[in-house]
Amino acid sequence: MDQGAHWAAEGELLEAGSRITTFSTSPSDEGQNQPEDEISCQVRKENPEKGDLQDSSASLSPNSSMTTKELQEYWRNEKRQCRQVKLLFEIPSTRIVEHHISKYVMYTIIILQTGSFDSNKSVIERRYSDFEKLHRNLLEEFSEEMEDVTFPKKTLTGNFTEEIINERKLAFKDYLRLLYSMKYIRRSEKFIDFLTRRELQEAYGCLRGGHYTKALEILLEVIGLQERLTRGNPVAIVPTLCAIVVCHKDLENPATAFEYGEKALLRLHMHTSHRYYMPLLEMMITLAYEIGKDFLSLQEKMEEWKAKKDPVRVFTLKELAVREYVQ
């Protein structure tokens, strides 16, 4: 490669590299006590052949002595090691719960999307035993990834002192951030269940009991978090969307039910064998007819589906919804 071509290629790599932001805190954020860990980086392993490249400003200079191949390898390593965090976890408060024979601390967890306003936050509560169960479950599946992850131990006494509670608040905050920084863990069903299952169980319990307003209130709160946690798997939130459809339908809000049904149907466009696909189509045809929408295209999809599938019993959308999260 001649010298001109080398610098042209290196310039392109540097331009691409400059888009990898290692710290997203802007000067305007510094005075607002924003979390500094907006970028979660794995501890960099020393490269015995090239050194640790600790002076990044020098290595990224147009006058760098690195070859194009070395630059390519450098940015591959950077992308593997550093990832812009999409969610932040804060634990601002706690409360002590006392029952007749038990006493425990509930930790309030606020989950924020980076760069978003407070309207996008999710608020949940979990106790020590919930964290402990999560840790145990993750160790079963991700023993290697969890090798260096520490978990705050129980103490024989003093669990309810202000000092211990504050220590655990910080420990659990760091614990969640660390778990979220690991791709396979943050995408795992066990991690997502920890953050959403309790609320979904309550919502579906309300739905089964006919308390649609309460069920809808919880479902609308949790679906935003579900969407952020399952960006790579849009089909994962279809059951929740369909439960929202059922609630709106039974609350006599057919237009809104249709809107959420469209969102669910869009996610099932390439998944027509999904158990929710046919029941959702049937519901959408009913809703479209009720609100004066065109239902012929939906009817055609249903006929196409029936022509390809063997005749089997299909539950209604509501029947499917009430079966979710049954203990």
Side-chain angles (χ1 to χ4, degrees):
M1 180 184 294
D2 61 36
Q3 189 71 9
H6 165 75
W7 290 124
E10 186 176 40
E12 291 178 2
L13 285 165
L14 292 174
E15 182 181 355
S18 67
R19 292 195 291 268
I20 300 179
T21 307
T22 55
F23 291 96
S24 61
T25 304
S26 65
S28 61
D29 292 332
E30 291 176 0
Q32 300 177 17
N33 296 322
Q34 292 292 332
E36 294 178 1
D37 299 330
E38 298 218 355
I39 291 298
S40 178
C41 300
Q42 301 289 342
V43 177
R44 299 177 183 177
K45 297 181 180 179
E46 184 176 356
N47 186 330
E49 297 180 359
K50 301 298 180 184
D52 61 4
L53 296 174
Q54 61 184 1
D55 188 355
S56 60
S57 61
S59 65
L60 301 182
S61 166
N63 297 320
S64 169
S65 61
M66 296 174 70
T67 65
T68 301
K69 183 177 180 180
E70 288 171 338
L71 280 167
Q72 289 173 333
E73 181 62 27
Y74 175 81
W75 287 119
R76 274 196 293 269
N77 288 334
E78 284 294 296
K79 290 177 181 179
R80 281 196 297 264
Q81 294 168 357
C82 294
R83 174 188 61 78
Q84 185 171 0
V85 173
K86 301 224 180 349
L87 295 181
L88 296 176
F89 298 86
E90 299 292 339
I91 304 181
S93 62
T94 61
R95 64 187 179 94
I96 297 176
V97 179
E98 293 190 59
H99 290 304
H100 296 297
I101 58 173
S102 65
K103 181 179 179 181
Y104 54 87
V105 179
M106 291 294 288
Y107 296 85
T108 300
I109 305 168
I110 297 179
I111 305 156
L112 296 162
Q113 185 171 342
T114 56
S116 68
F117 296 103
D118 286 346
S119 59
N120 291 323
K121 70 182 179 184
S122 299
V123 182
I124 61 176
E125 282 190 319
R126 296 295 182 266
R127 55 189 290 189
Y128 182 95
S129 60
D130 295 323
F131 282 97
E132 193 174 39
K133 181 180 178 181
L134 169 66
H135 191 72
R136 189 167 58 249
N137 289 339
L138 290 177
L139 282 174
E140 292 176 358
E141 186 174 353
F142 304 102
S143 57
E144 187 174 336
E145 291 87 342
M146 298 285 290
E147 188 176 22
D148 297 323
V149 178
T150 58
F151 186 80
K153 302 297 182 182
K154 276 187 176 179
T155 58
L156 294 176
T157 60
N159 286 301
F160 301 101
T161 64
E162 185 177 353
E163 180 182 1
I164 293 296
I165 291 174
N166 285 334
E167 285 180 2
R168 284 183 178 168
K169 278 169 55 179
L170 294 174
F172 284 141
K173 171 183 169 180
D174 291 340
Y175 177 74
L176 289 173
R177 286 184 171 185
L178 180 57
L179 293 182
Y180 185 76
S181 73
M182 303 178 192
K183 181 174 68 173
Y184 293 109
I185 290 180
R186 74 172 178 268
R187 292 180 179 176
S188 72
E189 184 178 344
K190 292 175 181 178
F191 182 68
I192 295 171
D193 275 358
F194 169 79
L195 296 170
T196 61
R197 188 177 183 85
R198 174 172 291 180
E199 287 70 26
L200 287 171
Q201 285 177 327
E202 182 183 358
Y204 280 99
C206 292
L207 192 155
R208 283 189 290 273
H211 306 296
Y212 302 114
T213 300
K214 181 62 176 177
L216 185 59
E217 178 186 332
I218 301 171
L219 289 168
L220 291 175
E221 286 182 1
V222 77
I223 196 167
L225 178 57
Q226 271 190 304
E227 287 177 328
R228 294 193 288 271
L229 290 168
T230 60
R231 288 182 186 277
N233 182 19
V235 177
I237 68 167
V238 165
T240 307
L241 285 171
C242 288
I244 292 174
V245 171
V246 169
C247 288
H248 276 300
K249 174 69 167 63
D250 284 352
L251 289 170
E252 300 182 357
N253 301 322
T256 308
F258 189 84
E259 289 177 12
Y260 279 95
E262 285 185 314
K263 294 178 182 179
L265 205 55
L266 181 63
R267 286 165 170 79
L268 293 179
H269 177 67
M270 301 298 291
H271 304 274
T272 57
S273 61
H274 195 281
R275 62 196 173 96
Y276 270 89
Y277 182 72
M278 186 60 176
L280 178 60
L281 268 181
E282 291 180 336
M283 174 66 83
M284 291 294 284
I285 291 170
T286 300
L287 290 169
Y289 182 80
E290 187 174 346
I291 62 178
K293 292 268 189 180
D294 174 31
F295 59 87
L296 293 179
S297 60
L298 295 169
Q299 188 76 43
E300 289 174 1
K301 289 180 181 179
M302 186 170 71
E303 295 303 325
E304 288 176 7
W305 186 91
K306 286 181 176 179
K308 295 178 182 177
K309 301 289 181 180
D310 294 328
V312 293
R313 180 181 177 229
V314 177
F315 292 110
T316 66
L317 196 68
K318 187 171 184 178
E319 287 173 337
L320 272 182
V322 298
R323 282 168 168 76
E324 293 285 347
Y325 292 95
V326 175
Q327 295 295 329

